[in-house]
Amino acid sequence: MNIITIEHIAKVYQVGMEEVHALRDVSLRIDKNEYVAIMGPSGSGKSTLMNMLGCLDTPTSGLYNFKDHNVSQMNDNELATIRNKEIGFVFQTFNLLPRSDALHNVELPLIYAGITSHERKERAAAALESVGLADRMHHKPNELSGGQRQRVAIARALVTNPSIILADEPTGNLDSKTGEDIMLLFNEIFEQGNTIILVTHEEYIAEHAARIIRLRDGLIESDENVSDRFIPGKKVSVD
Amino acid sequence: MKNYLFELKEGLIISLKAIRSNKIRSVLTTLGIIIGVWAVVVMTMAIRGIDESFQTGVASLGSDNLYIDKWAWFDNDIPWWELRNRKNLEMDDFRRYVELAKLPLAAAPSAGTNRTIKYEDKSVEFVNIQGTTNQYINTTNLTFAQGRFFNELESKGGRQVCVLGSEVNNKLFPLGNGLGNNVKIGGRKFKVVGILEEQGSWVMGNWNPDNQVFIPIENIFRYFQSQRHRSITINVRAPNSQMVEAVKEEAIGIMRRVRGLKYDERNDFSINQQEGLLTNINQTIGVIQVAGLVITGLALFVGAIGIMNIMFVSVKERTREIGIRKAIGAKNRTILGQFISESAMLCLIGGFIGLFLAMITSMIIAQMDFPSKITPDSVILAIMVSLITGVLSGFAPAFTASKMDPVDSLRYE
Ligand SMILES: Nc1ncnc2c1ncn2[C@@H]1O[C@H](COP(=O)(O)OP(=O)(O)OP(=O)(O)O)[C@@H](O)[C@H]1O
Ligand SMILES: [Mg+2]
């Protein structure tokens, strides 16, 4: 099933008198239960693309369909709802609320989804358990290691059962051992039937993915299936 | 609807957390609100106190009364020199009025002076001594703690007897053993035949029976002021409030006759009413109101600016938090609500502190015999004032926050 379709997306930033073409002409389809890595040199537009896919930003031109919704036409409110219900974000810098404990951080998307306190607590606790942090629920971010913080962020991304998980350099702030642990967690999440797109600079991180899209200067340079490590019975189609 | 309530509740929880993590800054910011709410509550308290005191005063003096006097108490239309040049009102005028008047329930003359009153080593200075007749009590609603008013015999005979107001009595006879004792008024001996109950109307000033002493009027003329130089007041009570106008008309007619005025001459006397006192009181209340509103307005204005400022700072500081919240699904209006409720909550806390201080002020004032009490509506007033200030001053910062771009704010360092 098709989740994301973008056609001829461009994003132009105006910096003073100058126009920065972060994305020039990008078309892409991503199906359910794909595991995609986006690579490319610094400044090639990876984060811009991710923000677009994550409905944090809207393209300057082009078409973006998320499932059956035309995202390019949406207002702030509708974008917020899509982000809340359909998308799970994982950031390089974790982006947890520093003054709230792990449980409350994971609860947050459920608050905005309008879910009652009792159910929220239960689901957040379950999500934390699934990332191996059952014993850290009441720790604040500064009482957790980098890897643990990223696990909290992953739990927060998972807790709403989104259609897709987006991770922009999720291991960028971690040492390689911890990064590898996080990638194993992503693998697990993928194997449970989730769809994952992640941005990385590291080949060995990208190797976990089934499909690698390389960007250069705001254009797709290559887009290839690199692995046959699919779950048997699940077909992944690539244009 | 349910969703809005839910968001409101979550917004309140979030804002409480935010305020708690910045306690000192929060309290400092609300100083203006504290003062503003304090001022508005104390002001309403004071006004209510004055008003109540006035009501009890009117009640004790009788509300259906007229006072025929040389002076116009509250009327500023007549030039002062005309008033001064009027003939004094004398006991004869009073006697002839009583002869001719058919409508009043009661009428009594009165002449006041301020004297020191002593009992043994205790003394009270500058007490308002009212000379009058036994009929005076029938023109008022005064009630007695002990004893009685002086009777006709004592009045006519100009006996040296007196009736003490409650406060005078408390000062001279803290033990309550005044009745039957002799006090000295301006050096003359008077026997206490009655002690009034507390009437509790400080606002009436010299009129406050609590601070007055009553003696037969003959004594005033005999000992304190020559009748020739002293104009008296004729206290007249109408049978009921509907009759007040008729009694007044009658009084004007009689007094013109008694004073021998020609048809084209102006009245050389005034008929005073407590309504006049009311305008006087209202002027006082007006002054308090203006002062209170100015203080309140200024404090709230300064407070609102402070709150707005701190909220802008808070929004700026928490740019990244706003980005995070938006990234995981907070709508613009959710963010708007979060910051408005934070600001409202901040002001509400200030409001409660102000209210608390106002309560303490009220207790202190109550110690000084100034009637004041916190009533539910002053609590509601305090809450409303601080909530409105909070919402208004929080709106601009909250709006800025709600309009922040999620990507930019996530990138904010
Ligand atoms: N808000 C912005 N304003 C102006 N220019 C921007 C903005 N965001 C990104 N750009 C520009 O767009 C281009 C792409 O940026 P982007 O962040 O997508 O790169 P990236 O591939 O994620 O790089 P990195 O690997 O360093 O994270 C860059 O040239 C960058 O300077
Ligand atoms: Mg990037």
Side-chain angles (χ1 to χ4, degrees):
Chain A
M1 197 186 83
N2 183 256
I3 296 181
I4 284 175
T5 311
I6 58 176
E7 283 167 14
H8 308 295
I9 287 280
K11 180 75 190 183
V12 184
Y13 290 108
Q14 193 78 40
V15 181
M17 296 295 287
E18 216 177 322
E19 285 188 341
V20 179
H21 292 262
L23 291 175
R24 292 172 194 276
D25 181 0
V26 176
S27 299
L28 197 61
R29 273 190 61 183
I30 288 164
D31 287 343
K32 188 165 162 55
N33 204 20
E34 273 204 84
Y35 193 167
V36 182
I38 298 176
M39 300 194 70
S42 185
S44 56
K46 304 181 297 292
S47 294
T48 308
L49 180 60
M50 285 296 261
N51 290 339
M52 208 85 70
L53 296 178
C55 299
L56 281 171
D57 211 348
T58 46
T60 313
S61 65
L63 187 80
Y64 179 10
N65 277 331
F66 189 98
K67 287 184 162 176
D68 294 329
H69 315 287
N70 183 352
V71 176
S72 9
Q73 302 280 318
M74 283 186 175
N75 63 27
D76 285 358
N77 247 349
E78 294 166 319
L79 287 174
T81 307
I82 291 264
R83 289 198 293 269
N84 183 242
K85 297 215 173 357
E86 305 280 1
I87 292 161
F89 264 108
V90 179
F91 301 92
Q92 178 176 355
T93 53
F94 322 130
N95 279 340
L96 301 173
L97 296 185
R99 289 194 288 249
S100 303
D101 63 11
L103 190 68
H104 185 254
N105 265 291
V106 177
E107 241 187 300
L108 211 53
L110 299 176
I111 292 180
Y112 296 128
I115 289 164
T116 56
S117 168
H118 181 71
E119 186 186 342
R120 248 161 36 204
K121 294 245 161 25
E122 240 163 49
R123 283 172 64 175
L128 279 168
E129 235 160 85
S130 75
V131 298
L133 287 179
D135 53 346
R136 294 287 187 276
M137 298 207 188
H138 297 294
H139 287 55
K140 302 250 171 75
N142 62 3
E143 298 159 352
L144 295 168
S145 71
Q148 287 170 331
R149 288 183 209 182
Q150 198 59 302
R151 281 169 194 271
V152 174
I154 292 170
R156 182 179 66 188
L158 288 172
V159 75
T160 53
N161 290 323
S163 305
I164 192 164
I165 308 279
L166 300 177
D168 192 347
E169 301 193 44
T171 60
N173 276 21
L174 304 173
D175 62 69
S176 52
K177 168 73 180 69
T178 318
E180 195 56 37
D181 289 345
I182 292 293
M183 288 316 294
L184 291 177
L185 180 56
F186 273 114
N187 289 349
E188 222 175 274
I189 293 166
F190 168 67
E191 271 153 24
Q192 284 157 7
N194 287 294
T195 312
I196 299 174
I197 305 177
L198 63 86
V199 168
T200 180
H201 280 289
E202 314 287 352
E203 292 292 342
Y204 73 90
I205 299 284
E207 272 165 18
H208 290 271
R211 176 182 171 190
I212 297 182
I213 296 170
R214 292 179 198 274
L215 288 185
R216 183 176 294 277
D217 290 335
L219 289 167
I220 294 184
E221 188 185 46
S222 70
D223 180 351
E224 48 188 343
N225 269 344
V226 289
S227 157
D228 47 6
R229 42 184 303 282
F230 303 126
I231 299 166
K234 288 223 170 174
K235 189 181 162 293
V236 174
S237 74
V238 180
D239 268 2
Chain B
M1 189 59 209
K2 185 169 163 275
N3 226 355
Y4 280 99
L5 282 180
F6 181 85
E7 278 182 21
L8 184 67
K9 186 182 134 214
E10 295 300 332
L12 288 178
I13 293 172
I14 290 169
S15 30
L16 255 186
K17 271 192 182 159
I19 292 168
R20 270 221 306 264
S21 60
N22 263 320
K23 284 186 208 83
I24 294 182
R25 188 170 88 177
S26 308
V27 170
L28 283 180
T29 320
T30 54
L31 207 59
I33 309 294
I34 294 175
I35 296 172
V37 167
W38 173 84
V40 76
V41 172
V42 168
M43 176 188 79
T44 43
M45 242 163 47
I47 290 174
R48 185 167 307 108
I50 291 173
D51 206 52
E52 260 175 34
S53 167
F54 176 68
Q55 297 306 336
T56 51
V58 167
S60 67
L61 287 181
S63 52
D64 306 328
N65 286 21
L66 299 172
Y67 304 91
I68 307 172
D69 204 309
K70 168 178 170 178
W71 303 96
W73 295 352
F74 309 107
D75 188 351
N76 299 323
D77 292 344
I78 306 169
W80 65 272
W81 48 264
E82 184 184 326
L83 292 177
R84 200 198 52 191
N85 288 340
R86 284 174 170 179
K87 271 191 303 181
N88 280 347
L89 235 61
E90 293 174 356
M91 284 305 280
D92 273 342
D93 295 330
F94 165 69
R95 282 186 203 104
R96 294 193 54 202
Y97 170 76
V98 171
E99 258 167 44
L100 296 170
K102 300 199 165 52
L103 299 178
L105 192 69
S110 68
T113 180
N114 290 321
R115 295 291 136 136
T116 300
I117 176 165
K118 280 190 184 154
Y119 175 71
E120 291 180 347
D121 56 340
K122 296 197 178 59
S123 75
V124 191
E125 281 170 26
F126 224 66
V127 178
N128 185 256
I129 313 290
Q130 286 288 327
T132 184
T133 64
N134 58 307
Q135 275 298 317
Y136 182 79
I137 195 69
N138 298 329
T139 69
T140 69
N141 293 330
L142 295 176
T143 47
F144 283 84
Q146 294 173 48
R148 53 172 176 83
F149 210 71
F150 44 82
N151 59 32
E152 194 176 350
L153 213 66
E154 290 161 332
S155 177
K156 284 219 168 100
R159 301 272 175 76
Q160 284 172 243
V161 291
C162 67
V163 172
L164 302 183
S166 68
E167 235 183 280
V168 178
N169 176 60
N170 288 343
K171 284 177 188 156
L172 290 180
F173 302 103
L175 301 176
N177 57 344
L179 197 67
N181 272 311
N182 287 320
V183 295
K184 279 197 168 168
I185 300 174
R188 305 279 167 175
K189 231 198 252 173
F190 286 82
K191 186 177 173 198
V192 179
V193 296
I195 293 158
L196 295 177
E197 255 180 352
E198 186 181 338
Q199 310 294 320
S201 66
W202 64 278
V203 81
M204 315 295 284
N206 250 358
W207 287 40
N208 182 1
D210 294 347
N211 289 323
Q212 285 180 327
V213 171
F214 301 91
I215 59 175
I217 196 164
E218 298 304 325
N219 293 308
I220 294 276
F221 301 135
R222 200 183 314 153
Y223 297 131
F224 303 134
Q225 277 169 343
S226 149
Q227 194 168 350
R228 236 169 303 144
H229 303 303
R230 185 66 174 82
S231 185
I232 62 164
T233 302
I234 304 174
N235 303 258
V236 182
R237 174 169 232 184
N240 55 54
S241 49
Q242 284 87 43
M243 293 289 285
V244 172
E245 268 316 297
V247 172
K248 185 175 178 177
E249 288 308 314
E250 187 198 51
I252 291 173
I254 294 174
M255 288 311 290
R256 285 187 68 86
R257 236 177 94 188
V258 167
R259 308 274 276 182
L261 297 178
K262 300 208 181 73
Y263 74 96
D264 59 345
E265 276 177 322
R266 275 157 68 103
N267 290 348
D268 64 349
F269 56 90
S270 290
I271 313 276
N272 296 299
Q273 275 173 280
Q274 284 171 359
E275 276 159 36
L277 192 58
L278 188 62
T279 44
N280 231 26
I281 295 291
N282 281 342
Q283 273 168 14
T284 315
I285 288 181
V287 169
I288 294 176
Q289 245 161 358
V290 168
L293 285 179
V294 167
I295 297 174
T296 305
L298 269 178
L300 285 182
F301 183 72
V302 171
I305 300 278
I307 297 275
M308 198 187 301
N309 184 45
I310 212 74
M311 289 307 294
F312 270 121
V313 172
S314 172
V315 165
K316 189 95 183 152
E317 277 176 357
R318 284 148 70 194
T319 302
R320 210 180 166 85
E321 177 193 321
I322 295 165
I324 296 170
R325 290 182 187 276
K326 285 196 158 185
I328 60 177
K331 296 189 172 83
N332 290 357
R333 68 149 194 269
T334 319
I335 301 290
L336 184 81
Q338 176 191 329
F339 282 95
I340 286 185
S341 59
E342 184 171 327
S343 144
M345 191 92 84
L346 205 56
C347 287
L348 206 55
I349 292 171
F352 276 116
I353 297 177
L355 190 61
F356 178 72
L357 293 181
M359 283 175 176
I360 292 179
T361 312
S362 142
M363 285 193 265
I364 293 173
I365 290 178
Q367 295 291 307
M368 308 190 308
D369 279 345
F370 185 105
S372 74
K373 54 178 179 248
I374 301 263
T375 49
D377 47 325
S378 41
V379 176
I380 293 170
L381 180 74
I383 292 173
M384 291 307 290
V385 163
S386 40
L387 266 186
I388 290 170
T389 315
V391 170
L392 288 184
S393 53
F395 188 81
F399 189 75
T400 327
S402 76
K403 287 293 173 206
M404 280 182 175
D405 181 69
V407 177
D408 289 344
S409 29
L410 275 173
R411 200 178 286 147
Y412 183 85
E413 294 302 329

